[in-house]
């Protein structure tokens, strides 16, 4: 099977009409509450309906899509960005069921695939019927990661998919969704819970999703070690995996690796020689690296 099957590549051009509409709604809500000097601006999802009515614009069917788009796909309105002090930026956090807060936090480092990394070719084990019927970028990416055991390979553990699209609630944040949850064990018997977020070509890896993943793990599986992972399609057919952590109000990358799913015959002796450069000691170190601790 061709390695590009189920890999649609980068998402096409953004729908500028939707972008403008979502930004107008968020701008209306922010300006309704913001007072100069604020570092937290509280609001509720129902206000998007009020904003749409007052602005005379069509309301999206799924109000949650407005928040998701602003978090991961499109920038905040310029008028909102300009209220942040130098070195700071606004993000949207959950604050209970259907409630949110704009928080002013230190400016985040944008996490993007490092195209200078070597690519590890993996024999493609995706069933062809799955490749032919997966719906959408996210479902395709999650299926590729699952059927090719990329979580196991990436983290050096034995991992099992526990649940897809886990929707639950956490204290303070409210309703959250995790794309897929794995549980795993390593050679020392340590047990892990691994929340995986799937990102298309235009979606950004943001601090709010990682915060939510860690919060869910702390609530639901307090005795297991949480290791958040993000998976992202890259333009040339590879899949980038990131192990994430929170440090000093910043999202950080503990490790990153790139994989490409290919027919087994496409893995050459030269490829295998390259992979053999990783020493046994390095391989053991990678498998037993201390996992991140959830911040309170």
């Amino acid at each position: 099977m061709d390695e590009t099957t189920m890999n649609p590549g980068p998402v096409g051009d953004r729908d500028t009409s939707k972008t403008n509409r979502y930004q107008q709604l968020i701008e209306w809500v922010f300006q309704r509450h913001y007072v100069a000097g604020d570092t937290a601006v509280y609001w509720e999802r129902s206000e998007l309906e009020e904003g749409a009515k007052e602005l005379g614009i069509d309301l999206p069917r799924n109000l949650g899509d407005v928040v998701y788009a602003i978090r991961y796909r499109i920038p905040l309105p310029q008028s909102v960005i300009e209220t942040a002090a130098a070195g700071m930026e606004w993000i949207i956090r959950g604050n209970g069921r259907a409630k949110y807060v704009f928080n002013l936090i230190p400016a985040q480092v944008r996490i993007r695939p490092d195209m200078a990394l070597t690519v590890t070719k993996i024999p493609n084990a995706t069933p062809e019927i799955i490749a032919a019927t997966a719906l959408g970028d996210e479902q395709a990416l999650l299926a590729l990661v699952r059927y090719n055991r990329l979580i196991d390979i990436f983290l050096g553990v034995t991992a099992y998919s526990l649940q897809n699209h886990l929707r639950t609630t956490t204290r303070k944040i409210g309703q959250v969704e995790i794309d897929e949850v794995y549980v795993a064990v390593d050679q020392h018997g340590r047990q892990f819970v691994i929340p995986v977020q799937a990102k298309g070509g235009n979606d950004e890896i943001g601090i709010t999703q990682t915060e939510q993943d860690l919060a869910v793990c702390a609530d639901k599986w307090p005795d297991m070690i949480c290791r958040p992972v993000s998976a992202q399609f890259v333009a040339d057919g590879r899949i980038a995996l990131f192990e994430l952590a929170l440090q000093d109000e910043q999202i950080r990358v503990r490790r990153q690796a790139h994989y490409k799913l290919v027919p087994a015959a496409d893995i050459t002796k030269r490829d295998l020689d390259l992979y053999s450069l990783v020493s046994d000691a390095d391989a053991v170190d990678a498998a037993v690296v201390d996992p991140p601790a959830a911040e309170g």
Side-chain angles (χ1 to χ4, degrees):
M1 178 167 45
D2 183 82
E3 66 267 25
T4 59
T5 303
M6 287 185 65
N7 184 355
V11 177
D13 292 338
R14 293 170 178 157
D15 182 342
T16 55
S17 62
K18 179 182 287 188
T19 298
N20 292 337
R21 179 163 43 121
Y22 287 5
Q23 288 178 326
Q24 287 178 61
L25 287 171
I26 289 296
E27 182 179 44
W28 183 89
V29 170
F30 184 84
Q31 292 180 346
R32 187 183 200 190
H33 298 285
Y34 175 72
V35 176
D38 280 350
T39 58
V41 177
Y42 295 88
W43 58 287
E44 299 185 9
R45 188 164 57 196
S46 60
E47 294 180 64
L48 296 173
E49 300 179 20
E50 299 177 52
K53 184 175 181 180
E54 183 167 316
L55 295 170
I57 60 179
D58 292 333
L59 189 69
R61 290 183 181 179
N62 179 9
L63 293 179
D65 189 49
V66 176
V67 178
Y68 184 90
I70 293 291
R71 280 175 168 169
Y72 306 118
R73 292 179 179 162
I74 59 179
L76 284 163
Q78 190 61 33
S79 63
V80 175
I81 294 172
E82 289 174 354
T83 64
M88 305 292 284
E89 69 174 74
W90 291 102
I91 62 169
I92 300 175
R93 286 183 168 126
N95 189 49
R97 188 177 294 273
K99 296 180 180 180
Y100 302 95
V101 56
F102 293 96
N103 278 136
L104 195 61
I105 65 169
Q108 299 293 295
V109 175
R110 299 303 178 223
I111 296 176
R112 298 184 176 91
D114 181 355
M115 301 304 289
L117 289 181
T118 57
V119 179
T120 302
K121 296 178 182 177
I122 302 293
N124 194 344
T126 312
E128 292 197 16
I129 191 170
I130 297 296
T133 56
L135 300 175
D137 290 3
E138 181 183 299
Q139 286 299 318
L141 180 53
L142 292 172
L144 292 174
V145 170
R146 186 184 318 117
Y147 283 104
N148 292 280
R149 304 198 69 90
L150 294 187
I151 297 298
D152 307 51
I153 295 168
F154 178 53
L155 296 180
V157 298
T158 301
Y160 307 91
S161 176
L162 178 65
Q163 185 171 342
N164 288 357
H165 295 289
L166 171 65
R167 290 187 178 182
T168 185
T169 57
T170 66
R171 291 166 292 181
K172 296 183 180 180
I173 294 177
Q175 183 173 334
V176 300
E177 180 174 340
I178 300 177
D179 293 333
E180 188 156 4
V181 178
Y182 287 76
V183 290
V185 62
D186 71 3
Q187 61 181 324
H188 304 288
R190 294 184 301 177
Q191 296 185 4
F192 305 91
V193 57
I194 304 166
V196 176
Q197 50 179 296
K199 297 299 181 185
N202 279 344
D203 289 0
E204 286 196 356
I205 298 171
I207 188 172
T208 52
Q209 181 68 54
T210 304
E211 288 177 336
Q212 290 175 4
D213 290 349
L214 289 168
V216 170
C217 291
D219 272 0
K220 308 300 181 185
W221 302 281
D223 297 326
M224 302 179 79
I225 302 167
C226 184
R227 301 180 72 175
V229 168
S230 180
Q232 188 166 25
F233 275 136
V234 183
D236 63 355
R238 71 180 81 174
I239 295 172
L241 293 184
F242 305 83
E243 183 179 3
L244 304 172
L246 294 179
Q247 184 177 48
D248 300 329
E249 289 193 276
Q250 292 274 0
I251 185 171
R252 297 297 188 189
V253 177
R254 288 180 60 85
R255 69 178 66 203
Q256 177 183 172
H258 294 188
Y259 303 97
K260 194 165 188 178
L261 305 177
V262 301
D266 287 359
I267 302 176
T268 66
K269 183 179 183 304
R270 181 174 294 180
D271 293 323
L272 296 176
D273 288 343
L274 175 63
Y275 306 151
S276 71
L277 295 177
V278 179
S279 70
D280 290 342
D282 289 340
V284 171
D285 287 344
V288 303
V289 64
D290 288 336
E295 292 195 353

